[in-house]
Amino acid sequence: ERAALLERFRDACSPGFDPDRHLTSIGCANQTTMLSTESFAIGEQFRAAIRQRYGSAAEATHFRAFDTICSATQDRQDAVVAMLDQLHLDAMIVIGGYNSSNTCNLARICAAKVTTYHIADPTGLLSPDEIRHRDVRTKTEVVSTGWLPAGRVTIGLTSGASTPDNLVETVVLALTGFTAEPAPGITP
């Protein structure tokens, strides 16, 4: 209903917004790094509302969706989903900025299936016992202890689309240093 819509979005619409006039044709373009499933679901909600209001035959006249998902972002999301489905992981590390939409979404995807640590950069790996990371649920930076299980572990690793490869390499080297057994006769 018009009144409910205007009330619900009173602080989120432009001055002079008139749903009867401004919602007759809708375009849906998304943030390029959001979850593609969420983006497509939003578009489908708009499409269904237009279809309900104007009928299926008029849908193309009143609605267009633009797929602006970044291919690097989509590739990473797909790879993470496949990794989580195919491997038993003890933990997941996601590297990238705390304000990066695509990195936060990767962490959210991972956290739904495995303990996940979103680190901004390699300095988050404080030691085999401590890790500084952004908690996926609270979105606050915390230091967790006992994060790296003893014994044989399988850790998944991914990074945001704009995370430089050298940061990923540094994390791999740090993890290797934390977990590698020293050669006989050599003390770490």
Side-chain angles (χ1 to χ4, degrees), residues 36-86:
S36 62
T37 54
E38 290 177 356
S39 173
F40 295 138
I42 291 167
E44 286 307 309
Q45 286 181 333
F46 281 125
R47 185 183 311 280
I50 290 294
R51 211 175 13 250
Q52 181 181 7
R53 186 171 197 181
Y54 298 106
S56 296
E59 181 182 311
T61 304
H62 294 278
F63 177 75
R64 284 201 52 206
F66 303 91
D67 181 6
T68 55
I69 297 292
C70 166
S71 62
T73 297
Q74 187 61 54
D75 290 346
R76 279 173 169 74
Q77 290 175 14
D78 293 345
V80 159
V81 168
M83 182 190 318
L84 293 168
D85 286 344
Q86 295 169 13

Side-chain angles (χ1 to χ4, degrees), residues 64-148:
R64 284 201 52 206
F66 303 91
D67 181 6
T68 55
I69 297 292
C70 166
S71 62
T73 297
Q74 187 61 54
D75 290 346
R76 279 173 169 74
Q77 290 175 14
D78 293 345
V80 159
V81 168
M83 182 190 318
L84 293 168
D85 286 344
Q86 295 169 13
L87 300 175
H88 170 74
L89 301 175
D90 296 295
M92 186 73 179
I93 294 178
V94 179
I95 311 163
Y98 293 160
N99 293 326
S100 165
S101 173
N102 75 81
T103 306
C104 291
N105 283 325
L106 287 169
R108 198 170 78 195
I109 291 168
C110 296
K113 295 218 174 183
V114 66
T115 301
T116 299
Y117 302 98
H118 175 182
I119 61 173
D121 56 51
T123 64
L125 297 174
L126 303 174
S127 72
D129 187 55
E130 290 187 321
I131 187 169
R132 183 179 53 250
H133 64 101
R134 181 177 192 237
D135 184 278
V136 176
R137 289 176 298 105
T138 65
K139 297 178 174 49
T140 58
E141 188 175 67
V142 296
V143 174
S144 294
T145 58
W147 73 276
L148 187 60

Side-chain angles (χ1 to χ4, degrees), residues 122 163-171:
T163 302
D165 290 344
N166 67 317
L167 294 183
V168 176
E169 180 182 11
T170 302
V171 167

